[in-house]
Amino acid sequence: MKKITALLLVGAMLLALLCACSSTTEPKADDQTDAAPSTAQDTTDAADDTAQDTATDQVIDLVLWHNRSGTNGEAVNSLIEKFNSTVGSEKGIHVTSVRQDDSIVSTFKTLLYAKDMDNMPDLATLYAGDVEYASTVDCIVPLDDLIANDDSFSADEIVSSLLSTYNYMGTQYSLPFHGDTTVLYYNKTAFAAAGLDPDTPPTTIAEMADCAKKLLIKEGDTVKQYAITLGLQNCYLNNWIADQGDVYYLGNNEAGRSGRMTKVTFDTDGTMLTLLNEWQKVIDTGAVQSIESGDQPKDEFCAGLSAMFIGGQWAMTSIEEAAAETGFELGVARLPKVRESDIGGVCPGGTSMYIINKGDDARVQASWEFMKWWVSAENQAEFCKLTKYIPVNVHAFESEDIQSWLAENPNYRVAFDALNDTDPRIQEQLAPTQQEFQTIFLDTCQSWAMGEISAEDCVRIMAEKCNAALDEYNAANPIN
């Protein structure tokens, strides 16, 4: 019996040792993108049960959810590997990248409703418009105390308009993961052929109309080249309502950022009517397609079928490649203002990083260490070069290396400078009924552009429908 007991003890010790050793194996870099949440806790429990004290037990394994794919996803993994081998190694932190698709918020909500914190990430990247929702989630960690108690970090290093994007009712809920904004792409070759200065793009909507007259090319009744394809909708209205005058908001409570939006204000402050009257000048040239769907505006611009395109910085690499293939010189400029007297500026976009509290303060602190590292000037400059996204750190473009890169890629500076110069109050609206707003704006503005309704009726109809949508939502979801 003693021999049997001894053999059983030896077997148990060997099994425990094997369990402890197995925890030193990390996912391969190629596997990290689609890896499941870490099971390191299982091996830690086994090691604790056998009183094994290994260095691996001290490593905090974090999971980051993001929705970057392709080369951009590879860039995310590349930087995470850099963190794991440097700061992470020094501080005992290991981050695993888990790519989610664009339904990342839905997946997050599903786990939240199921109270499945074990499969929750430690860090998650959500879109700019999700900050109001994030403010209602108890397990999302507000960053104000972490920032205030950390002398190694200064929020002043973050592009102010991007920082404000993720501040809701005075609380900072996240830091930007990457930046994006709207710019004007234009065909320099077409401008020159039309007798326009290719180095002097339009700076106002009225100037766009002046250019449009010359850029339109027709053969008989067939249009061979439009000036632009653009149907007024939410993404354009966010910018062109906010940057009028000093700063205006599409709805009350600073367009939903200082509190829940309960009504729109674009009908009473005159901003929407001003915009429509200015855009009418472009429509009157006959050089604009007012119906757009999906990637149509970008595709037609890239094919040389239209001479201007208003879109995000994120598309610049593909547009540069298409311009080279089609055979025209690409120009990039700041978004034209509604009127010369307006403040101008652009709404920030992109995603940001949130910390999820899974009941372990050490994991929260480790997540903060990674977040600080990610937004540093050096890493943002590297991420910009890999992805062409806008860096979120104001000092990212100061190194000699990045200056040399910018000299070879000057178009990438336009969006960064525009965003850095923008009043932080200029932001996308946060109506809880954004999907309804998108449909209302697109359909009603299209009817106006086709001459079916007047500008005044267009404004009135949009305001009535938007307010009805807000009333219905707020009745079903009372403000506490």
Side-chain angles (χ1 to χ4, degrees), residues 8-9 98 162 168 238 283 285 373 410 421 429 477:
L8 289 171
L9 286 172
V98 180
L162 280 170
Y168 182 70
N238 274 327
I283 292 176
T285 65
W373 181 90
D421 293 341
Q429 53 91 358
N477 302 274

Side-chain angles (χ1 to χ4, degrees), residues 231-377:
L232 285 176
Q233 56 181 295
N234 192 56
C235 56
Y236 308 119
L237 300 181
N238 274 327
N239 288 281
W240 278 333
I241 294 296
D243 70 8
Q244 289 186 44
D246 179 20
V247 172
Y248 279 93
Y249 300 103
L250 192 144
N252 67 344
N253 294 323
E254 298 181 1
R257 290 188 171 272
S258 62
R260 174 83 64 79
M261 188 190 296
T262 59
K263 66 177 181 179
V264 297
T265 54
F266 60 74
D267 57 328
T268 56
D269 61 21
T271 52
M272 186 68 76
L273 185 58
T274 295
L275 170 58
L276 296 184
N277 286 337
E278 288 300 306
W279 192 250
Q280 185 69 54
K281 298 174 183 177
V282 183
I283 292 176
D284 288 343
T285 65
V288 57
Q289 286 195 100
S290 297
I291 300 175
E292 65 168 85
S293 177
D295 289 333
Q296 175 195 356
K298 179 172 75 73
D299 293 343
E300 292 184 352
F301 174 76
C302 290
L305 301 177
S306 60
M308 292 183 285
F309 164 61
I310 291 175
Q313 156 86 9
W314 62 268
M316 189 175 295
T317 299
S318 63
I319 292 175
E320 283 185 330
E321 293 170 352
E325 183 177 342
T326 304
F328 67 84
E329 184 180 0
L330 176 67
V332 180
R334 296 191 184 197
L335 179 71
K337 298 187 291 185
V338 177
R339 300 165 301 185
E340 181 60 39
S341 60
D342 292 332
I343 184 175
V346 284
C347 292
T351 61
S352 70
M353 236 182 323
Y354 291 84
I355 295 176
I356 315 301
N357 188 347
K358 301 173 69 173
D360 186 341
D361 289 342
R363 300 183 75 85
V364 171
Q365 191 59 45
S367 297
W368 172 241
E369 290 296 331
F370 174 76
M371 186 179 284
K372 288 190 303 178
W373 181 90
W374 182 268
V375 300
S376 68

